[in-house]
Amino acid sequence: MTTTPTQDAPSKTRGQRFTSAAANYIDERTSISGAVKELGRKIFPDHWSFMLGEVALYSFVVILLSGTFLTFFFQASMVEVHYEGSYAPLKGIEMSAAMASTLDISFDIRGGLLMRQVHHWAALLFVASIGLHMLRVYFTGAYRKPREINWLIGFVLFILAMAEGFTGYSLPDDLLSGNGLRIIDGMVKGIPVIGTWISYLLFGGEFPGVDIVSRLYILHIMLLPAIIIAAIGVHMLLLIINKHTQFAAPGRTNNNVVGSPIMPVFAAKAGGFFFIVFGVITLIASTFSINPVWVYGPYDPSPVSAGTQPDWYIGFADGALRLVPPGWETEWFGFTWSFNIIAPLVILGLFIAIVAFYPFIEAWVTGDKREHHIADRPRNAPTRTAIGAAGVTFYAVLWAAASSDLIATHFKLSIEGVIHSCQALLIFGPIIAFFLTKRVCIGLQKKDREIALHGYESGRIVRLPHGEYIEVHEQLDEYERWKLVNFTDYKPLMIRPNAEGKITTGQRVRASASRWFFEDRIAPVSQKEIEQSKDGHH
Amino acid sequence: MASSAVRASRRSRPVGRRHPLATVALLLVGLVGTGGAYALFTSSATAETSASAEALVEEGGKLFAANCATCHGLNLEGSTQGPTLIGVGAAATDFQVGTGRMPLAATGPQAEKKPVQFTDEQVQALAVFVASQGPGPAIPADMYLTGEGYDVSNGAELFRINCAMCHNVAGAGGALTEGKFAPSLDGVSAKHAYEAMLTGPQNMPVFNDTNLSPEEKADIITYLKYLDETPSVGGFTLGSLGPVSEGLFIWIFGLGAIVAITVWLTAKSN
């Protein structure tokens, strides 16, 4: 894609002359050409799933822009005021300045409602695209060495994005956000011994107090965004240092990256893509209402609306609370132990920790110290894909449980039935998903193997001279076959004594984990097998 | 513009007294005429109504015996199939029959709204009959049902405090236990909303006049009317269900559109 520079200077147009003069001016003063040369040749492979992280980045930019607009008008204060704006059903109602200013942004400031909706929809898209991006990285094994650190940073970004979302959701001080905070307060208070202290510290006294909005505001607009921007910086830096992964194809090896360079192709595409993402968000924001705080009204600790849910990314935690069986509470040593809170906290904490450290766990099990730059097809790592499917199922059940009441009303079910089904699914769903996915992966691998060795069925039936009918199998060409046969294959680790001649417990655990991971496997087709199968045909 | 086109096409259809809907229209005119006259008659001259009231009670009694007595008993005493109706009053009868919930089509978690089985007069007759058998809450006066001249912001606050936990802040409805649910309040008439508050049908609590005064009920009705008549300022509401529908929307349509675009951007040109 490189363009050769024009040889003869005099034939340059005025525009070109200006560009080269300007570039020269800047380069002589900053020596930036070195960086541009390095960075400009960074290669991005073309695959749609590699653009999901970009979506997250661009929606974050949209969030920053719209959020800045909102800060001009939002008052992060819980001072009591009487609303006197233009929304009739709240006129004269006592509320916090935060709520009143949110209403003013929505009704009395030009473009305010659009900006609020852009900000909120972009936030939902931000977390959703991060989630999908993580799933892509997971299922293609793109977190393997040397990218484990970047997975961890990405994970931190995911948690920070959720924190940003939740703090933002709580700022307007409307009924919905106040109820969300009340649940957080309840969860914090459910932590034994220290819970009540933490709650008082957080809210500056008994819930809801008069401080929480301004505290969350500082987190929301300063601390969290600053950390997110820094983490995005490191994330992108590591992306450049580690280079992109790519799917196996002819000419693509572990030592190269095939795709378009940043300059000029990718930069143009990415710039255009930013505006497309911005456009999609704006289109949604201008046609679909989101978080109509005026309907919810100001926060008041007594009312709770039916269908009170957090934004989607906190839904799994809400679902976990809803699925706890009743009566999980006892008193030990003079303290109340609310296992209905502690159990979800512990389970969710474990789940999140497994997500964060999975690359390290897998690296330990495989004992693989090699660098991997070729992305796996999910089927070629059946156990990993199956674990992922189990995790997705677990998360999805929790997520669905958060909308148990809406599932009940919309599908004419009883809410108890929905909850009990979710409880059963939470335990059995991941197990079923694991075995099903593993079987499907192995089946697909077998199919791939067969196609690589014997070609695909052409549907052409030929009658041989002696009357036999055969279906002609068309062989794949070399390029197509390469995609099917080129993947890393692992075998279960052998238990080996260490330097002192001992077999440690760690070794045993590792060997059994490795066996569990890799005992069901389909070996990739070898060159020898391909040649043999060709001989068989001819 | 679209409605005028529809109107024009309607006009172009064959008209006259042989029109297939002519009988229906005639019937409607007759019913509205008699009903209107009756309403005028009852509201303007109470002294003269005693004779027609007796006739109404008699008609209501007949309707009751034919349609309701199987479960509620011939003397409203109730049975294993249905509760006693002594003392439920005209308001409860008007609500249950007037919204089609009664007569019950089938037993289930709760009686659901369905097409009304009786004419307005018959509903009236049933209500009068039930009220004649034992005193109970009466059908609310029209002055509380206009949705005008009352305090909409007080109504909104009362709604959030008293109603939103089951019916949702936007009146979109919500789940109750064992398959029961609080229905959506979209399009519920002022009279039925008032009667529901007054009598507490199905699982709904009773909000009697000392709990919520008639003026406060009228405030709530004003707010409901406001919700019904004011278009959503932010665009389509996605069912007013809150974050669940918003989350589903962003995953399916928002991220779906974005993924479609990424596929398009990285597609090989041919």
Side-chain angles (χ1 to χ4, degrees):
Chain A
M1 293 303 292
T2 45
T3 50
T4 42
T6 34
Q7 301 294 319
D8 39 352
S11 72
K12 275 186 179 172
T13 62
R14 258 184 77 188
Q16 282 172 325
R17 275 205 304 278
F18 174 75
T19 313
S20 47
N24 195 41
Y25 181 90
I26 293 168
D27 187 40
E28 279 174 1
R29 282 153 187 82
T30 59
S31 305
I32 203 170
S33 65
V36 171
K37 202 169 145 194
E38 273 298 302
L39 207 64
R41 302 306 298 167
K42 155 117 186 93
I43 303 292
F44 285 86
D46 255 359
H47 191 271
W48 68 267
S49 68
F50 292 177
M51 298 181 86
L52 297 169
E54 272 178 69
V55 178
L57 179 66
Y58 300 150
S59 33
F60 182 65
V61 174
V62 175
I63 291 170
L64 280 185
L65 291 175
S66 53
T68 308
F69 178 93
L70 296 177
T71 58
F72 297 159
F73 306 101
F74 179 69
Q75 291 171 21
S77 153
M78 290 172 90
V79 171
E80 282 172 33
V81 296
H82 288 270
Y83 177 71
E84 290 305 335
S86 41
Y87 184 66
L90 287 176
K91 266 203 175 127
I93 297 287
E94 203 174 296
M95 60 180 68
S96 65
M99 176 72 182
S101 60
T102 310
L103 291 172
D104 286 342
I105 290 172
S106 306
F107 291 104
D108 295 307
I109 288 163
R110 203 166 292 244
L113 181 59
L114 179 65
M115 280 298 159
R116 260 198 67 219
Q117 300 202 145
V118 164
H119 193 68
H120 205 141
W121 279 119
L124 294 195
L125 184 67
F126 179 49
V127 195
S129 54
I130 292 178
L132 205 58
H133 175 57
M134 283 176 90
L135 289 175
R136 197 282 293 176
V137 170
Y138 178 85
F139 282 110
T140 59
Y143 53 78
R144 287 173 298 172
K145 191 183 169 187
R147 297 182 182 77
E148 308 99 315
I149 307 279
N150 223 13
W151 166 270
L152 210 56
I153 292 168
F155 168 81
V156 169
L157 276 168
F158 181 55
I159 300 293
L160 286 173
M162 291 197 287
E164 268 288 34
F166 191 80
T167 50
Y169 165 95
S170 306
L171 287 183
D173 200 24
D174 61 313
L175 192 58
L176 186 65
S177 70
N179 285 325
L181 277 176
R182 184 49 146 171
I183 293 170
I184 294 290
D185 175 56
M187 287 185 84
V188 170
K189 281 181 177 152
I191 303 170
V193 188
I194 56 167
T196 313
W197 297 97
I198 295 180
S199 165
Y200 271 63
L201 189 69
L202 189 66
F203 291 94
E206 178 55 86
F207 177 89
V210 291
D211 296 323
I212 190 68
V213 167
S214 50
R215 289 178 180 180
L216 291 178
Y217 188 60
I218 289 300
L219 293 180
H220 184 75
I221 68 156
M222 202 192 82
L223 194 63
L224 291 173
I227 305 175
I228 287 184
I229 291 169
I232 288 178
V234 180
H235 198 65
M236 308 264 287
L237 203 66
L238 280 174
L239 162 96
I240 291 166
I241 293 170
N242 292 335
K243 302 197 172 58
H244 254 86
T245 54
Q246 58 189 348
F247 281 108
R252 297 181 182 181
T253 70
N254 215 16
N255 303 318
N256 69 359
V257 192
V258 179
S260 341
I262 284 195
M263 287 304 206
V265 179
F266 183 78
K269 267 192 179 179
F273 190 40
F274 166 70
F275 287 106
I276 289 176
V277 171
F278 204 158
V280 168
I281 292 170
T282 312
L283 186 69
I284 292 173
S286 53
T287 37
F288 293 93
S289 181
I290 188 165
N291 195 18
V293 285
W294 52 90
V295 178
Y296 291 105
Y299 183 56
D300 170 348
S302 64
V304 180
S305 166
T308 292
Q309 265 97 1
D311 274 347
W312 77 260
Y313 40 85
I314 307 289
F316 75 112
D318 189 22
L321 287 177
R322 291 188 188 208
L323 290 188
V324 180
W328 280 21
E329 199 173 76
T330 188
E331 201 187 305
W332 287 342
F333 318 114
F335 291 105
T336 305
W337 295 75
S338 305
F339 293 107
N340 44 11
I341 302 289
I342 300 169
L345 281 179
V346 169
I347 291 169
L348 293 183
L350 272 176
F351 177 71
I352 285 174
I354 291 174
V355 172
F357 295 106
Y358 183 80
F360 305 95
I361 300 170
E362 196 193 276
W364 180 75
V365 170
T366 57
D368 188 1
K369 302 264 192 300
R370 292 171 294 177
E371 287 202 357
H372 292 281
H373 300 291
I374 298 286
D376 273 331
R377 296 170 81 207
R379 68 183 62 170
N380 289 334
T383 307
R384 175 207 297 150
T385 306
I387 292 173
V392 168
T393 310
F394 182 78
Y395 184 92
V397 172
L398 289 178
W399 199 18
S403 51
S404 52
D405 53 332
L406 294 175
I407 294 175
T409 50
H410 284 249
F411 296 100
K412 304 240 172 230
L413 302 165
S414 85
I415 193 161
E416 290 85 351
V418 176
I419 290 286
H420 289 151
S421 310
C422 284
Q423 285 170 334
L425 268 178
L426 187 69
I427 293 164
F428 298 113
I431 298 173
I432 296 167
F434 179 87
F435 286 108
L436 216 60
T437 311
K438 194 166 173 182
R439 284 295 126 197
V440 168
C441 284
I442 289 174
L444 287 169
Q445 272 187 301
K446 278 184 183 161
K447 182 78 184 162
D448 277 358
R449 194 182 158 83
E450 185 169 320
I451 290 173
L453 283 178
H454 307 298
Y456 56 89
E457 293 165 358
S458 64
R460 195 155 60 85
I461 309 289
V462 173
R463 188 179 163 194
L464 298 179
H466 58 274
E468 184 191 349
Y469 286 93
I470 57 159
E471 186 181 6
V472 177
H473 281 230
E474 297 276 2
Q475 288 297 325
L476 291 176
D477 62 27
E478 295 290 319
Y479 297 99
E480 287 302 311
R481 186 183 291 126
W482 179 254
K483 291 180 186 172
L484 298 186
V485 302
N486 180 47
F487 60 90
T488 34
D489 172 49
Y490 293 100
K491 296 186 181 92
L493 288 179
M494 302 281 285
I495 302 181
R496 285 208 180 81
N498 61 8
E500 292 167 22
K502 279 183 191 162
I503 293 173
T504 59
T505 321
Q507 272 288 328
R508 284 181 199 282
V509 174
R510 188 177 179 177
S512 56
S514 175
R515 201 178 322 120
W516 179 73
F517 251 79
F518 300 118
E519 66 185 350
D520 296 329
R521 68 188 191 97
I522 304 290
V525 179
S526 66
Q527 190 59 35
K528 202 173 151 194
E529 284 176 305
I530 293 176
E531 274 157 20
Q532 274 175 352
S533 83
K534 272 185 188 160
D535 290 346
H537 271 276
H538 292 300
Chain B
M1 265 166 276
S3 66
S4 69
V6 169
R7 229 174 281 144
S9 74
R10 266 188 203 150
R11 244 180 242 134
S12 68
R13 269 191 244 144
V15 287
R17 59 202 168 86
R18 284 193 186 77
H19 189 280
L21 290 179
T23 39
V24 179
L26 198 67
L27 212 61
L28 206 68
V29 167
L31 285 175
V32 170
T34 46
Y38 171 77
L40 208 70
F41 188 65
T42 45
S43 59
S44 57
T46 36
E48 295 167 35
T49 53
S50 55
S52 66
E54 264 169 41
L56 212 59
V57 169
E58 198 177 320
E59 194 206 335
K62 280 177 188 159
L63 282 167
F64 189 91
N67 296 288
C68 319
T70 316
C71 303
H72 293 294
L74 270 171
N75 302 313
L76 287 72
E77 74 278 18
S79 73
T80 50
Q81 305 297 315
T84 172
L85 298 185
I86 295 168
V88 300
T93 313
D94 186 61
F95 176 85
Q96 299 282 4
V97 182
T99 60
R101 285 179 167 80
M102 289 288 153
L104 207 55
T107 50
Q110 73 185 38
E112 289 181 39
K113 201 173 172 173
K114 63 177 185 293
V116 183
Q117 306 295 306
F118 299 99
T119 63
D120 287 354
E121 287 72 41
Q122 289 171 324
V123 174
Q124 178 97 28
L126 276 168
V128 170
F129 169 73
V130 170
S132 73
Q133 304 297 305
I139 293 171
D142 285 340
M143 58 180 286
Y144 298 119
L145 307 178
T146 56
E148 276 154 25
Y150 288 94
D151 186 349
V152 66
S153 52
N154 188 43
E157 189 162 33
L158 289 171
F159 184 84
R160 286 193 293 275
I161 293 171
N162 295 291
C163 320
M165 40 271 285
C166 300
H167 288 288
N168 159 313
V169 279
L176 301 174
T177 54
E178 303 288 356
K180 293 170 282 199
F181 62 94
S184 162
L185 299 181
D186 187 30
V188 173
S189 77
K191 184 172 77 158
H192 290 147
Y194 193 107
E195 288 167 351
M197 287 188 266
L198 195 61
T199 63
Q202 320 283 343
N203 302 288
M204 185 164 158
V206 173
F207 296 92
N208 60 35
D209 284 354
T210 48
N211 194 327
L212 283 178
S213 70
E215 286 73 24
E216 288 172 329
K217 288 194 182 80
D219 289 347
I220 291 176
I221 283 165
T222 309
Y223 177 60
L224 285 177
K225 193 179 168 203
Y226 182 94
L227 279 184
D228 252 0
E229 291 176 356
T230 319
S232 156
V233 286
F236 297 107
T237 58
L238 302 173
S240 294
L241 297 175
V244 170
S245 50
E246 292 160 8
L248 280 177
F249 183 85
I250 201 71
W251 269 94
I252 296 169
F253 296 100
L255 206 54
I258 296 278
V259 165
I261 290 166
T262 61
V263 172
W264 171 62
L265 280 177
T266 51
K268 287 201 182 82
S269 53
N270 38 355

